[in-house]
Amino acid sequence: MPDLTELLEQAKGVLEMNDRGNYTQPAHGLYPHQWLWDSCFIAIGLRHLDTERAKMELLSLLRGQWHNGMLPNIIFRDDPIYRTDRNIWRSWISPFAPNDVMTTGITQPPLLAEATVQVGAKLAWPERRLWYRLVYPALLNYHQWLYQERDPHGEGLVLQIHPWETGLDNTPPWMNELHEHLLQLWIRLIEKLGLDHVINLFRRDAHSVPIDQRFSTIEALALVDIQRRLRRKAYDINKILDHSLFTIEDLSFNSIFIRANTHLREIAKSLREELPEELDKKIHKTEKAFEELWDQYSSQYYSRDFITHRLLKVPSIATLLPLYAGTISQERADQLVRLLENEHNFGPAYPVPSVPVSSFWFKPKLYWQGPTWVNMNWLIIDGLKRYGFNDHAAALSESTLEMVARSGCYEYFDPLTGEPAGAANFSWTAALIIDLLKNQVA
Ligand code: GLC
């Protein structure tokens, strides 16, 4: 076992280094702004060091909340050098965007309820109540917005309009759709002529991370192209749906949403508040509708195309997140755990790979197409414990700690060798390592 005291000090150092006062940047250089789910994971670690600072991490996310309830995936830094980042989005074109900060026009997995509860667990009851009171209205608005805009047919599952909304930017189920159906002609042409290799030379992310550990230029162009199309519709969901842009009911997003709804219920209960009846009904419906994502032939859950209801049968890290959702049957949970035990699937030396090792997509150092990510491990560990797989959870926690202790708080890791990849000094890796360490000792 690694030297735990040293690891803890190292992780604290990373969070201090990336602290920007009221929020923490994910990594210097590559990710200078405030990201939604990053700050949630970061608060889960910070709560062990300084509960006030952890609260502030979450409250500063609310600065970015749109008037319709949406929480954007990024709040941009107000510094002239980041003008280009802000201008790509031009959030001010939407009447719902806040006036005093600039943001994107899309969201990210709804982890705020989880982070609120985790921070709350560190507070004594009267203080916890005050904390919940502070966050509850914004949280409620956010969940209501998710149903209102992202479940337009009232089917129970919420849809996403850009791969960035899943936080798993180039995850195979989405990329497969992109390559098969949605790649614009001009992008195909660039690919055919091999011009992407020329564009590689100009990629800004290559200054921080070797380019072969990031998404491909063709995928990057496609992601920006989809973003432009959303901007052209001023992020208006009705216009976006009318033009049937890229819309998927993502498995990982919906798994996290289910857990978030459970937490929202708990928060309301502790405040002796009733959830609005309509919302309560929708939450029940989501838990039921989630089972429509199960494919009996392969005994796995998948994401689904919103328009055609076709399951996108490409396994990815999302495959295991129903464990975190916590509403699936024990029998199905057992089936998922078997995938985790299999070394050719999700169980190599340093689990959990973001794509099964035997998949056609698997590349051990390529972003969300193979590497192990600490935030995914944290969610899976939490789910395993709730389904009674305590030994599996302990083993996964230990291998995660070992991987990070060996190389440092990197963004992701090669699941076969444990070698680090992506950005160094990455905040959520540091924060979640602190949480895993504290829980291990507890
Ligand atoms: C990358 C990740 C995303 C994360 C962001 C900031 O885009 O894919 O999940 O939120 O970096 O760390």
Side-chain angles (χ1 to χ4, degrees):
M1 199 55 208
D3 180 342
L4 301 184
T5 330
E6 200 186 304
L7 183 56
L8 187 64
E9 286 311 310
Q10 215 189 90
K12 280 187 196 168
V14 169
L15 291 182
E16 272 164 32
M17 189 192 308
N18 288 329
D19 189 351
R20 299 210 38 84
N22 55 345
Y23 74 92
T24 311
Q25 63 184 1
H28 176 73
L30 194 57
Y31 308 118
H33 312 289
Q34 182 174 24
W35 264 263
L36 174 53
W37 78 334
D38 293 68
S39 275
C40 293
F41 288 124
I42 290 163
I44 291 172
L46 277 177
R47 75 195 172 120
H48 298 289
L49 311 177
D50 178 350
T51 48
E52 286 308 309
R53 182 61 187 76
K55 285 183 193 168
M56 192 192 286
E57 186 76 26
L58 299 179
L59 291 176
S60 57
L61 280 175
L62 307 186
R63 297 176 296 154
Q65 189 159 35
W66 284 31
H67 308 311
N68 57 5
M70 183 186 77
L71 286 172
N73 74 328
I74 305 176
I75 301 174
F76 292 110
R77 224 154 112 175
D78 183 20
D79 184 319
I81 60 168
Y82 300 114
R83 189 177 301 136
T84 323
D85 295 8
R86 297 190 294 262
N87 280 352
I88 289 174
W89 286 93
R90 291 184 212 142
S91 53
W92 56 88
I93 60 175
S94 165
F96 298 114
N99 301 325
D100 41 355
V101 288
M102 289 179 203
T103 75
T104 61
I106 58 171
T107 191
Q108 233 181 3
L111 264 155
L112 182 60
E114 173 77 76
T116 302
V117 167
Q118 294 284 349
V119 172
K122 284 279 170 192
L123 307 171
W125 174 233
E127 243 190 285
R128 191 187 310 161
R129 183 168 39 212
L130 288 175
W131 166 238
Y132 283 174
R133 273 258 160 262
L134 209 55
V135 183
Y136 182 64
L139 200 54
L140 192 62
N141 274 345
Y142 180 44
H143 283 229
Q144 284 178 314
W145 171 81
L146 278 164
Y147 279 115
Q148 175 71 27
E149 291 219 342
R150 299 312 186 83
D151 182 18
H153 302 158
E155 292 174 322
L157 298 172
V158 289
L159 64 91
Q160 286 65 59
I161 55 177
H162 194 292
W164 285 333
E165 289 203 309
T166 69
L168 318 174
D169 307 1
N170 66 343
T171 189
W174 283 75
M175 292 305 108
N176 194 50
E177 286 303 287
L178 198 67
H179 287 288
E180 288 204 344
H181 310 289
L182 288 150
L183 220 47
Q184 296 283 308
L185 201 62
W186 64 272
I187 301 179
R188 284 191 199 278
L189 208 62
I190 288 179
E191 190 175 28
K192 202 151 186 197
L193 299 175
L195 292 176
D196 44 330
H197 298 292
V198 182
I199 300 173
N200 276 352
L201 304 174
F202 299 97
R203 278 180 61 169
R204 205 175 60 179
D205 53 350
H207 297 292
S208 313
V209 172
I211 200 87
D212 56 357
Q213 296 179 10
R214 300 279 296 168
F215 37 72
S216 75
T217 289
I218 292 302
E219 285 166 357
L221 289 173
L223 296 187
V224 172
D225 177 62
I226 301 164
Q227 183 272 328
R228 281 228 184 88
R229 285 191 268 160
L230 297 175
R231 189 182 70 202
R232 245 179 262 142
K233 306 280 170 280
Y235 312 112
D236 177 325
I237 194 67
N238 295 321
K239 289 189 189 145
I240 291 168
L241 293 177
D242 276 353
H243 289 77
S244 60
L245 296 175
F246 211 4
T247 44
I248 289 176
E249 293 159 334
D250 181 73
L251 177 58
S252 59
F253 195 107
N254 278 279
S255 298
I256 292 171
F257 187 40
I258 286 187
R259 184 73 184 138
N261 281 332
T262 308
H263 284 311
L264 179 69
R265 262 213 194 105
E266 281 303 314
I267 294 173
K269 207 167 136 199
S270 337
L271 291 173
R272 301 218 174 90
E273 293 267 357
E274 295 272 341
L275 281 187
E277 206 184 312
E278 193 63 15
L279 177 65
D280 197 55
K281 275 196 204 140
K282 288 179 175 169
I283 291 177
H284 278 293
K285 190 156 194 180
T286 302
E287 292 172 9
K288 264 185 130 173
F290 190 75
E291 296 305 321
E292 293 165 23
L293 303 180
W294 178 258
D295 170 53
Q296 56 174 328
Y297 302 106
S298 56
S299 299
Q300 290 182 35
Y301 292 90
Y302 294 105
S303 296
R304 187 169 80 174
D305 183 288
F306 168 69
I307 310 276
T308 62
H309 276 195
R310 178 174 46 93
L311 290 182
L312 311 179
K313 295 192 190 176
V314 183
S316 70
I317 191 67
T319 307
L320 297 173
L321 291 188
L323 288 168
Y324 172 72
T327 52
I328 63 169
S329 67
Q330 184 71 40
E331 190 197 336
R332 289 190 175 174
D334 293 349
Q335 281 171 299
L336 297 184
V337 170
R338 252 172 265 145
L339 303 176
L340 189 59
E341 287 168 342
N342 182 341
E343 63 178 309
H344 304 295
N345 213 318
F346 286 106
Y350 295 90
V352 180
S354 39
V355 166
V357 173
S358 54
S359 161
F360 149 84
W361 287 89
F362 179 76
K363 294 191 194 69
K365 289 198 175 61
L366 191 85
Y367 211 41
W368 292 101
Q369 296 183 359
T372 294
W373 290 71
V374 173
N375 67 333
M376 291 293 118
N377 284 10
W378 188 92
L379 295 173
I380 293 167
I381 289 167
D382 187 72
L384 285 169
K385 282 191 201 154
R386 278 182 282 116
Y387 278 98
F389 292 101
N390 291 327
D391 292 347
H392 290 73
L396 183 52
S397 171
E398 201 160 308
S399 66
T400 309
L401 290 171
E402 190 192 314
M403 193 173 69
V404 180
R406 205 152 32 103
S407 312
C409 295
Y410 273 80
E411 191 180 2
Y412 40 93
F413 299 84
D414 179 326
L416 306 178
T417 62
E419 284 164 347
N425 300 318
F426 190 65
S427 295
W428 84 38
T429 301
L432 295 176
I433 280 299
I434 294 173
D435 192 63
L436 291 178
L437 279 170
K438 296 283 179 183
N439 287 340
Q440 204 182 43
V441 176

